[in-house]
């Protein structure tokens, strides 16, 4: 596989982004959805901001308060035995160590603009910001599907009651319609197909199940993009392989002559996130035709291996130009990069069922 | 609260139900949905059948095989250190003790009929039986919502990839339309309201979240009963109270002059399942008006306290006749019972917000 990583990588880093909140630092500008609008490439960045702590014994947790529409900042002492601070992203209750109790940063969506796809300038203000109680811990990992003139932007809505997927839409990136939570908790990594297939819209999604089952990919259908049903299991983890620990959709699926191509992320149980592909039937995307037995792309460069949470390549969107896929991707839960891949080479690399 | 438990309780027990599978025993006939059809009361029983084991060292797990459309019977030795058999309902992998790996019984839906609501005869064959891979561990806890001439029957579909909620519909209890999985995993305790409210259908549902959050009640909307969205958190657990451990919808909500009345189940962390009520706004059922601070009904009788999994009263359906609620309910994960309650008394017992 020939992978052309841009010389300018990383394209956007936290240092490029001015904090929106006073007293905060930007620790991540990553996992961006991608859109083309008015001749520009828009990266819809997930920007993560953390309240600055001048005391190493204090960890802070920002929480959006829907009643006041402001942020509350909670403080925890690192010697408080009730909590586990070992994962820098979350604060866990030691009695419920499989779940998190608070996040140490708040994410929202902010736009980086480019005319050449390589050099970006970053808007001063958020594009989409938490607005209600289901988003009190922030909104994460946006994806964008353009259908006609409308851009559907959907993202993980995180709050104490769970992680679900919510959606807004816009035609001008100024005025937005809110569609509420389209997939209830626990769900993330939703990807809406860019056109109807046999009269129905389709979306990939990634439930996280508790009673039984694993973090795997499912597919659902809709007739209005807001209400979803006919959920089917699409693709599961594979023991001993690169996607043995968890998996989920990455870029918005795009048409190829052989099928819908979905660039998805897989991780091992030790959290090494790689990218691979699924090929889905053009007329029935609930049928898997082929899949990557080996990753298409792995964390290899310094900016992919080191950061807030290292060893991660994680795409939320790609632009397809003929045979070239410009895959924008988050690196190390920190920054944004881009790599170009060849569609034919991806298709040839897959293992067909 | 005056509760009139029928003298005939329990109305249906496993001993009344002939096993459908050769070599199996019926261990549960419980958690039935309720419908009125052709002058009869129909209990849509969850019947749980277990492969008989003549060797106390062997535990068997029945699995529906979608490819062959038959049951496979797996065998486990109780001295196999890889597994935990302490909960008689499930087989757990000791390395993943929060989830289950297999069930020790297979559930499906079977009808019990009555002309007086007290004395039931049981059909020889299943009404709804596992039919596909999402139902390979069985289908559980059916509810029925009648809208016009159509009965919508929905139930937990259990398989290794998770527990979701699937739906069929019928007008005659003979011919069925399958609508697939309407709520993806993990979800159960779905309850569809019996009419549109301001142009939309509504359903209560109960996601089980893993990343954060608790087993609590949510509400969603639809325009066709098959595709669902605009998920909102409705009501949560309450520390120190009867619904501190888990909760979920029970009977199909019904109209009262004060609001939609929902009889729901709550349990403490030590698994004592009681019934209480939520009162929801008639015009916007995502608004909670009132709630039970104390259970309306608790496991008290011998048949409620002792059984396959004791200390459980669990309703999946009620018939409302003027001011009287005939609440059919599963007892001890084993049998069916009925109790009559007074709507006014329930409304008066609630704590208004």
């Amino acid at each position: 596989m020939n992978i052309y990583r841009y010389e300018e990588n990383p394209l956007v880093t936290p240092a490029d982004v001015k904090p929106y909140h006073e007293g905060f630092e930007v620790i991540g500008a990553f996992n961006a959805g991608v859109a083309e609008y008015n001749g520009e490439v828009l990266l819809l960045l997930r920007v993560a901001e953390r309240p600055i702590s001048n005391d190493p014994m204090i960890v802070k947790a920002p929480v959006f308060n829907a009643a006041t529409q402001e942020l509350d900042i909670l403080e925890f002492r690192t010697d408080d035995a009730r909590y586990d601070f070992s994962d820098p992203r979350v604060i866990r209750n030691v009695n419920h160590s499989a779940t998190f109790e608070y996040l140490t940063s708040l994410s929202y969506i902010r736009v980086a603009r480019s005319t050449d796809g390589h050099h970006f300038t970053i808007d001063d203000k958020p594009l989409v910001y938490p607005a209600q109680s289901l988003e009190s811990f922030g909104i994460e990992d946006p994806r964008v599907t353009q259908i006609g003139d409308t851009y559907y932007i959907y993202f993980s809505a995180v709050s104490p009651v769970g992680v679900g997927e919510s959606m807004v839409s816009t035609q001008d990136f100024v005025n937005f319609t809110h569609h509420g939570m389209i997939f209830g908790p626990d769900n993330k990594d939703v990807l809406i197909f860019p056109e109807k297939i046999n009269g129905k819209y389709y979306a990939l999604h990634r439930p996280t199940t508790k009673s039984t089952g694993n973090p795997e990919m499912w597919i659902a259908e809709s007739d209005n993009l807001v209400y979803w049903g006919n959920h089917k299991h699409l693709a599961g983890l594979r023991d001993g392989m690169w996607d043995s620990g968890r998996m989920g959709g990455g870029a918005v699926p795009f048409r190829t002559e052989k099928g819908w191509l979905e660039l998805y992320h897989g991780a091992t149980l030790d959290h090494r996130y790689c990218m691979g592909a699924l090929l889905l039937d053009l007329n029935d995307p609930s049928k898997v035709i082929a899949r990557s037995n080996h990753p298409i792309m792995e964390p290899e460069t310094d900016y992919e291996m080191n950061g807030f949470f290292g060893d991660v390549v994680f795409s939320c969107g790609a632009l397809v130009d003929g045979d070239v896929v410009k895959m924008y991707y988050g690196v190390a839960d920190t920054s944004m990069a881009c790599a170009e891949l060849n569609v034919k080479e991806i298709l040839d690399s897959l293992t067909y069922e």
Side-chain angles (χ1 to χ4, degrees), chain A residues 169-189:
Chain A
S169 63
T170 185
Q171 295 191 316
D172 56 11
F173 291 90
V174 175
N175 300 294
F176 292 87
T177 304
H178 287 255
H179 301 284
M181 186 170 278
I182 57 174
F183 287 87
D186 268 353
N187 213 309
K188 47 169 60 175
D189 299 327

Side-chain angles (χ1 to χ4, degrees), chain A residues 11-12 16 40-41 43 45 111-115 119-123:
Chain A
L11 304 179
V12 178
D16 302 326
E40 289 186 320
V41 174
L43 293 182
L45 300 167
V111 172
R113 297 167 192 274
S114 174
T115 50
H119 302 89
F120 287 86
T121 56
I122 292 147
D123 284 5

Side-chain angles (χ1 to χ4, degrees), chain A residues 143-158:
Chain A
R143 273 85 168 190
V144 189
T145 298
Q146 183 182 355
I147 300 177
D149 292 339
T150 304
Y151 297 82
Y152 294 89
I153 303 168
Y154 38 98
F155 43 81
S156 300
V158 187

Side-chain angles (χ1 to χ4, degrees), chain A residues 31 44 46 107-109 127-132 134-135 138-144 152-158 163-169 176-183 187-190 192:
Chain A
N31 295 4
L44 276 64
R46 168 180 169 189
S107 292
Y108 61 86
I109 305 174
L127 183 80
V128 187
Y129 191 82
Q132 51 133 307
L134 291 179
E135 301 166 350
I139 59 181
E140 304 181 352
D141 299 352
R143 273 85 168 190
V144 189
Y152 294 89
I153 303 168
Y154 38 98
F155 43 81
S156 300
V158 187
V163 180
E165 189 89 2
S166 292
M167 184 168 79
V168 301
S169 63
F176 292 87
T177 304
H178 287 255
H179 301 284
M181 186 170 278
I182 57 174
F183 287 87
N187 213 309
K188 47 169 60 175
D189 299 327
V190 170
I192 296 176

Side-chain angles (χ1 to χ4, degrees), chain A residues 258-295:
Chain A
K258 292 205 173 171
W260 290 100
L261 192 60
E262 166 58 18
L263 300 173
Y264 75 96
H265 66 267
T268 49
L269 281 174
D270 56 354
H271 308 298
R272 186 165 187 264
Y273 281 77
C274 300
M275 296 300 302
L278 277 174
L279 190 67
L280 308 176
D281 190 290
L282 280 177
N283 293 308
D284 178 359
S286 73
K287 289 185 185 156
V288 176
I289 299 172
R291 188 167 171 184
S292 297
N293 277 355
H294 301 281

